Amino acid sequence: MYCICRCVHRSLGASAASLKSLRAPFSVTATLARKPSPQWAKEGDIDQDDADPGSDRFPTRKGLKNASESPWSRNSRLRSKYLRDQDVYDQALDLAELAYADGDNNTNTWPSDQRQRQRQRMPRSAFTHHDPALAQVPNGHDPTLSFPNRNKRSRSPSRPIPLDDLFSEWLRLENIAGKAQSVGLSQSDAAKVIRAFASSIRSMPPSASSPLKPKTPVRDVPAARSTLNHLWLQFLAKYVPHDQKPLFTALCESADLRHPKEWYPGARLLRRQIIMHVGPTNSGKTHGALAELAAAPSGVYCGPLRLLAHEIHDRFTTRGIPCSLVTGEERREDPQATITACTVEMADLGREYDVAVIDEIQVIGDAQRGWAWTQALLGLRAKRIYVCGEESAVPLVKRLLEGTGDEVIVKRFERLTPLKVSPGVVKNKLAGVQPGDCVVAFSRKEVFAYKYLLEKENPGLKCAVVYGALPPETRAEQARLFNTHRESGYGVMVATDAVGMGLNLAINRVIFTTTRKYDGVSEQYLSISALKQIAGRAGRYGLDHGSAHGTVTAFRPNDLRYIHETLPLTPPDLTSAGLQPTPDMIEAFAQQLPHEPLTGLLEKFQALARLNGEMYFMCNLDDQCKLADRLKHLKHMAIRDQYLFVLAPVNTRSESALAVFVHIAEMYARDRALPLMALLLPGAARPAVGVGVGVDKALAAWREVFTDEVVQAMRPPPKSTREAKDERARHVLELVVALAQQQGEQVHAPGATLDDVRPSHAFAPARSRDQLARLEAVHRGILLYMWLANRFEGHATFAATPRAQAEWLLRECERAINLGLKVITESEQGHGVLRAMDQSQVERDRRSPAKWGVAGSRRGDRVETEEARVVIEEV
Ligand SMILES: Nc1ncnc2c1ncn2[C@@H]1O[C@H](COP(=O)(O)OP(=O)(O)OP(=O)(O)O)[C@@H](O)[C@H]1O
């Protein structure tokens, strides 16, 4: 008891007033601490992902250093990684004791990365804003129960669960311990408050209207979660230091996200007709919606990818229907157009349309991007909205629109061509791959390894490739090569799961190299939805793929078995839609905490946000927090601007991408011009500008990439005219001049003439995989620059680069990537990668044979079971 009191005392810091106000409640919880309730505090209550505390994944919040700056940050936070076992509360106390004994009471750690990952428990790579390829349902029931590593959030909404289990899950998913700490409680105090809360829930008098009934399994899980959230905030308020209560209340009000329908009064004034086109892939649901859009006097298409927005834009314009294009990075306004093709985040909610199309609605449940679909669904001002996607979204969409007065009509579609699962694996493995096949792997490395091996094994065969890091335009070009393989020779497509959305491919057979994918934490089986989406690419209706149906198969029997069992299943219904705070909300929130850096604001907003948990979840703000952490030195940059910056699509796992991001932000904060070229000089995977690159160097650098050899190798495109070349040359000159001016130099260097840079290409084509990766990074850098330039149009930082110039550079970069893909010949390294993969796969399968329901072990491709042998012989 003495220990406990000492911990509490110390953790409360030096403030006597706070101590006074907190002593009473904590003496109660300290008593409770002797009667732990392990069921409610078992493994997983607190983040378990054990990572290096010094790594970027755990940004340390150092913005405010002492109690006089902010009482919210004065208490110590211990690393929750220690708190993983059964009795979180006792351990918390022990650790607090240890920490204070070490004098380590300034450890200020906020494991938001783990928290969110635990919360969503989904493959992060499956749906990032860089590569939103395939929907993994982060909520709802996953019936692939016979397979391990299934989504841990999965549970049938109708199956009652014990209150204890629900509570444990809620603690973990909502990171309740973290939330308690974010309002100023130390970790040990937070643990005690949680226990007191648990106790109060258990002893609550039964009420007919409450979904929480002591000792009774919970039936309505979403409602129960929502009730817990609500009660928890009320409960927590009691432990907030007295002088902080008004602030706490005001912050809670600013973070109230319970009524998103009311955010869009314009849409609420309309009585909209929502027509849901649902069905499997390749069922014509988008085709039908686009036909309605084409016939409408005005309208908008909202798609999940830049690639799709471009495709729809091209489709309309080639048919003579004027169409504007709006993506985060590009804007091509046609004054004649009444139709717009855009990415869903860019949907204009201020404009009225006759018809709108929202594609791939199931992404509404995505942990990162779901908010954009929620916003489009609730906020679009269109008389008729066609909502296309999976059947799993129907119940959620209906619930979201209840009470809006909108009419919801559901039209169901069937696949236009049958999809068959092959009875056996691919005969002769790599040698058995034929033109029209799409080989699916799950990393860029594997894609190139398979490309190399397939081309080696099958002389004369060429492989097109598609993976997430490729620019959309390059993916489209690779798709074109594959679709015209009789002329181009690119008979086989090797792709990651990025192939699952947005490309019209004449695939006859999809071959899975594996059905497991690393999700950033561990290897998981593909979800039903992801499997269907990829497999469904086979047998595309209307394209000549050489068969009346599509086929799906695998190289390995285990994978084929998974496909056989999983493909007929129905994806679980989505249970909630994503929400994300708007810049206005963050700004209002920030006004109450004027000294708090953006990272802290985002963390606190998440901690205090109130949502209707029956229908909504808060989108993952991990990446935004990471980016915000990188901007914390820019103290004079307005919070709103910082927030807009951190919403930009940046690969937070790439240090060079982060460096480019920070560099642009620094230039912005100082109101300094930053021509795009300054980011792109050779060797400037990191920003080069500001380190004394002069005109001579710049010109030399340009000459380096415009070598005769490169120009010869690239050959001007057939359509290239003298004027086109001159235009390019002018761009180059302008860029050089802009760079020179930015360096405060005059342009007097010899060589600054049109002739010198004609015919010119900005980038040399990649000749190796590393060079290709560099070009891909440059491409992402250009896109980031364009994205920010669009948000901060007219600002001095971006004014130095006209949009046309940026687009030209983008196209040039894509050109170099496209050419690179044609000339790269892989080394033996590829073989090594694949062999290693193969071995580890075999090893894994051997270690866990029973999980398949396959009784037997594997040797290479042979499965030693009667059943499997039959399968193989059937081939
Ligand atoms: N009525 C039709 N006439 C001609 N082609 C059609 C028709 N309906 C669909 N298609 C073609 O069939 C293919 C699949 O259609 P669509 O893209 O609408 O399917 P989907 O169900 O939206 O599938 P996915 O989500 O995979 O794109 C497209 O190439 C489309 O052009």
Side-chain angles (χ1 to χ4, degrees):
M1 186 62 194
Y2 164 75
C3 262
I4 293 164
C5 291
R6 194 156 59 89
C7 291
V8 170
H9 187 99
R10 283 180 154 179
S11 64
L12 292 177
S15 161
S18 302
L19 183 62
K20 208 171 161 190
S21 64
L22 286 171
R23 191 174 284 149
F26 277 113
S27 60
V28 175
T29 54
T31 314
L32 289 167
R34 272 184 265 129
K35 297 184 269 171
S37 36
Q39 289 152 298
W40 287 16
K42 58 194 173 197
E43 186 172 25
D45 283 357
I46 308 253
D47 309 302
Q48 298 166 50
D49 208 358
D50 202 354
D52 173 13
S55 83
D56 280 346
R57 298 176 61 210
F58 297 91
T60 306
R61 207 160 56 78
K62 292 177 188 157
L64 299 173
K65 294 188 180 62
N66 57 53
S68 65
E69 281 174 314
S70 163
W72 297 88
S73 60
R74 67 184 164 219
N75 288 320
S76 69
R77 296 187 177 96
L78 296 175
R79 293 207 52 73
S80 59
K81 70 173 187 164
Y82 302 111
L83 305 176
R84 54 172 51 181
D85 293 322
Q86 295 188 348
D87 193 337
V88 64
Y89 310 119
D90 284 350
Q91 291 210 12
L93 295 174
D94 292 344
L95 280 162
E97 184 71 0
L98 272 177
Y100 295 128
D102 292 339
D104 184 22
N105 57 352
N106 284 321
T107 313
N108 187 1
T109 310
W110 180 253
S112 57
D113 190 37
Q114 291 173 333
R115 173 187 71 220
Q116 290 294 338
R117 205 161 303 165
Q118 285 286 349
R119 177 172 158 25
Q120 298 303 343
R121 212 62 201 164
M122 60 171 288
R124 290 168 55 75
S125 53
F127 246 127
T128 68
H129 45 232
H130 314 293
D131 178 26
L134 295 171
Q136 278 278 11
V137 185
N139 46 40
H141 169 56
D142 182 348
T144 56
L145 295 177
S146 56
F147 293 92
N149 303 335
R150 65 185 183 273
N151 185 339
K152 292 208 170 68
R153 284 192 76 176
S154 302
R155 171 181 298 117
S156 165
S158 58
R159 194 191 312 156
I161 61 166
L163 183 59
D164 279 359
D165 287 0
L166 177 94
F167 194 84
S168 293
E169 189 184 70
W170 172 79
L171 282 178
R172 175 169 55 83
L173 296 177
E174 301 285 339
N175 186 33
I176 294 303
K179 287 185 177 185
Q181 288 170 60
S182 84
V183 298
L185 300 181
S186 73
Q187 193 154 28
S188 57
D189 295 343
K192 282 177 271 179
V193 175
I194 290 171
R195 186 155 43 187
F197 179 61
S199 173
S200 79
I201 294 291
R202 282 179 146 179
S203 55
M204 236 175 16
S207 142
S209 60
S210 171
L212 298 171
K213 295 181 181 49
K215 298 188 184 131
T216 312
V218 175
R219 289 199 163 273
D220 190 345
V221 173
R225 267 201 215 124
S226 166
T227 308
L228 279 175
N229 280 336
H230 183 68
L231 293 175
W232 165 245
L233 275 184
Q234 282 183 350
F235 191 84
L236 187 61
K238 285 191 283 184
Y239 297 91
V240 173
H242 191 65
D243 55 333
Q244 296 302 313
K245 278 207 171 137
L247 179 57
F248 179 77
T249 312
L251 288 173
C252 284
E253 275 166 20
S254 310
D256 188 345
L257 307 181
R258 282 174 301 168
H259 309 289
K261 275 179 246 181
E262 293 168 11
W263 301 352
Y264 311 102
R268 295 296 75 79
L269 288 174
L270 300 173
R271 290 287 164 265
R272 307 176 305 170
Q273 201 178 40
I274 312 290
I275 303 151
M276 296 195 72
H277 281 194
V278 295
T281 54
N282 198 14
S283 57
K285 48 193 189 294
T286 318
H287 185 90
L290 289 175
E292 298 290 339
L293 179 62
S298 68
V300 61
Y301 166 84
C302 310
L305 304 172
R306 277 182 61 228
L307 180 66
L308 272 165
H310 274 266
E311 193 198 308
I312 303 304
H313 171 260
D314 294 349
R315 196 189 288 193
F316 279 121
T317 46
T318 50
R319 282 170 54 191
I321 302 171
C323 181
S324 296
L325 172 76
V326 181
T327 69
E329 295 80 6
E330 287 164 285
R331 196 174 277 273
R332 282 186 221 155
E333 309 271 13
D334 180 342
Q336 310 283 319
T338 55
I339 292 180
T340 304
C342 66
T343 40
V344 69
E345 283 87 349
M346 301 304 291
D348 185 350
L349 307 182
R351 215 168 129 181
E352 280 209 22
Y353 302 99
D354 291 284
V355 168
V357 176
I358 304 176
D359 209 356
E360 307 292 355
I361 185 64
Q362 68 279 2
V363 189
I364 201 167
D366 178 63
Q368 267 85 33
R369 292 182 72 207
W371 65 270
W373 274 258
T374 311
Q375 171 185 280
L377 183 71
L378 297 179
L380 270 174
R381 295 169 64 190
K383 290 175 197 139
R384 256 182 306 147
I385 303 183
Y386 290 87
V387 176
C388 308
E390 287 180 8
E391 173 83 40
S392 61
V394 173
L396 178 62
V397 168
K398 284 185 175 170
R399 274 193 290 136
L400 292 176
L401 295 174
E402 261 168 29
T404 58
D406 295 340
E407 181 190 9
V408 182
I409 299 164
V410 181
K411 289 189 179 171
R412 293 190 163 78
F413 289 68
E414 295 298 328
R415 253 188 87 93
L416 294 166
T417 46
L419 179 65
K420 296 186 179 174
V421 183
S422 166
V425 294
V426 179
K427 227 176 182 178
N428 303 326
K429 219 172 178 186
L430 295 178
V433 174
Q434 298 157 2
D437 285 348
C438 174
V439 176
V440 179
F442 289 99
S443 73
R444 184 178 179 280
K445 215 174 188 181
E446 290 172 25
V447 163
F448 279 104
Y450 273 104
K451 175 178 161 70
Y452 166 73
L453 288 179
L454 283 164
E455 289 177 354
K456 192 168 162 227
E457 191 81 27
N458 305 285
L461 182 81
K462 283 197 277 183
C463 297
V465 293
V466 163
Y467 52 89
L470 278 185
E473 296 73 10
T474 308
R475 290 189 224 178
E477 168 64 9
Q478 293 291 302
R480 191 189 62 73
L481 288 173
F482 174 72
N483 287 347
T484 57
H485 66 83
R486 287 185 189 87
E487 298 89 57
S488 70
Y490 285 80
V492 170
M493 171 65 78
V494 187
T496 62
D497 45 357
V499 78
M501 200 184 273
L503 290 170
N504 262 324
L505 292 166
I507 298 171
N508 179 34
R509 184 170 64 158
V510 167
I511 302 170
F512 282 87
T513 58
T514 171
T515 47
R516 280 180 286 202
K517 181 181 170 178
Y518 182 69
D519 68 0
V521 179
S522 59
E523 248 190 16
Q524 304 278 337
Y525 283 102
L526 291 173
S527 69
I528 306 166
S529 172
L531 189 78
K532 279 176 178 279
Q533 190 94 24
I534 302 169
R537 308 327 286 176
R540 191 90 176 150
Y541 179 75
L543 295 181
D544 177 15
H545 46 84
S547 165
H549 59 84
T551 305
V552 52
T553 186
F555 283 132
R556 299 184 174 88
N558 276 3
D559 293 319
L560 187 59
R561 186 180 294 267
Y562 181 73
I563 295 168
H564 265 292
E565 290 184 19
T566 309
L567 210 55
L569 301 177
T570 307
D573 284 347
L574 299 180
T575 55
S576 49
L579 285 181
Q580 182 175 278
T582 63
D584 286 345
M585 290 174 188
I586 293 296
E587 210 171 23
F589 196 77
Q591 276 167 8
Q592 335 239 15
L593 293 169
H595 303 295
E596 188 76 28
L598 182 60
T599 324
L601 289 172
L602 294 178
E603 289 165 359
K604 287 184 170 56
F605 192 98
Q606 290 180 95
L608 299 178
R610 275 190 291 174
L611 290 90
N612 177 349
E614 286 173 55
M615 284 193 265
Y616 299 102
F617 68 91
M618 176 77 114
C619 278
N620 187 328
L621 289 177
D622 276 8
D623 283 348
Q624 286 78 4
C625 284
K626 266 187 198 168
L627 294 176
D629 207 49
R630 300 280 176 137
L631 301 186
K632 63 179 181 242
H633 62 295
L634 303 175
K635 296 204 181 350
H636 301 298
M637 192 171 171
I639 285 291
R640 189 187 183 88
D641 289 354
Q642 286 191 38
Y643 187 55
L644 284 173
F645 258 78
V646 304
L647 294 178
V650 181
N651 178 1
T652 53
R653 281 169 294 173
S654 155
E655 273 306 317
S656 62
L658 287 168
V660 168
F661 170 78
V662 172
H663 182 67
I664 300 176
E666 283 171 351
M667 299 299 270
Y668 177 90
R670 288 175 201 142
D671 281 338
R672 289 192 50 193
L674 176 59
L676 176 53
M677 183 190 164
L679 287 172
L680 305 177
L681 280 171
R686 298 176 314 118
V689 81
V691 292
V693 179
V695 175
D696 290 347
K697 267 197 183 166
L699 283 174
W702 279 102
R703 291 211 193 89
E704 204 176 289
V705 287
F706 302 145
T707 57
D708 288 348
E709 188 199 352
V710 169
V711 174
Q712 290 268 319
M714 293 174 74
R715 279 189 223 107
K719 274 194 232 144
S720 180
T721 59
R722 178 89 186 168
E723 291 75 43
K725 286 182 212 160
D726 280 353
E727 198 188 323
R728 275 203 296 272
R730 246 191 314 280
H731 278 313
V732 174
L733 273 184
E734 281 166 20
L735 290 166
V736 172
V737 170
L739 178 71
Q741 284 169 350
Q742 201 246 332
Q743 297 293 315
E745 295 187 39
Q746 297 294 316
V747 180
H748 53 72
T753 66
L754 278 184
D755 281 340
D756 229 40
V757 289
R758 182 195 297 127
S760 60
H761 291 293
F763 303 95
R767 288 176 198 284
S768 70
R769 234 174 48 200
D770 285 347
Q771 285 178 6
L772 186 64
R774 232 171 286 141
L775 276 177
E776 288 162 9
V778 167
H779 189 268
R780 284 194 295 273
I782 301 175
L783 284 177
L784 171 64
Y785 184 94
M786 291 170 75
W787 193 95
L788 291 168
N790 264 345
R791 297 296 170 299
F792 299 99
E793 212 170 349
H795 190 274
T797 303
F798 306 102
T801 309
R803 187 178 287 160
Q805 227 171 60
E807 285 183 7
W808 171 74
L809 278 167
L810 188 74
R811 299 278 104 77
E812 286 289 294
C813 186
E814 283 153 11
R815 183 185 158 75
I817 291 173
N818 287 348
L819 283 163
L821 283 177
K822 284 189 186 167
V823 298
I824 288 175
T825 50
E826 264 318 317
S827 62
E828 283 295 323
Q829 203 190 350
H831 208 163
V833 168
L834 203 61
R835 262 206 312 265
M837 262 164 33
D838 218 19
Q839 278 311 314
S840 61
Q841 181 86 24
V842 169
E843 197 47 48
R844 275 196 302 269
D845 289 348
R846 187 179 298 133
R847 264 189 268 126
S848 50
K851 67 193 173 194
W852 295 99
V854 175
S857 62
R858 296 194 48 208
R859 298 266 184 281
D861 285 318
R862 292 194 196 137
V863 176
E864 297 176 353
T865 64
E866 283 300 26
E867 205 182 341
R869 213 170 284 133
V870 172
V871 170
I872 290 167
E873 280 161 10
E874 272 175 13
V875 182

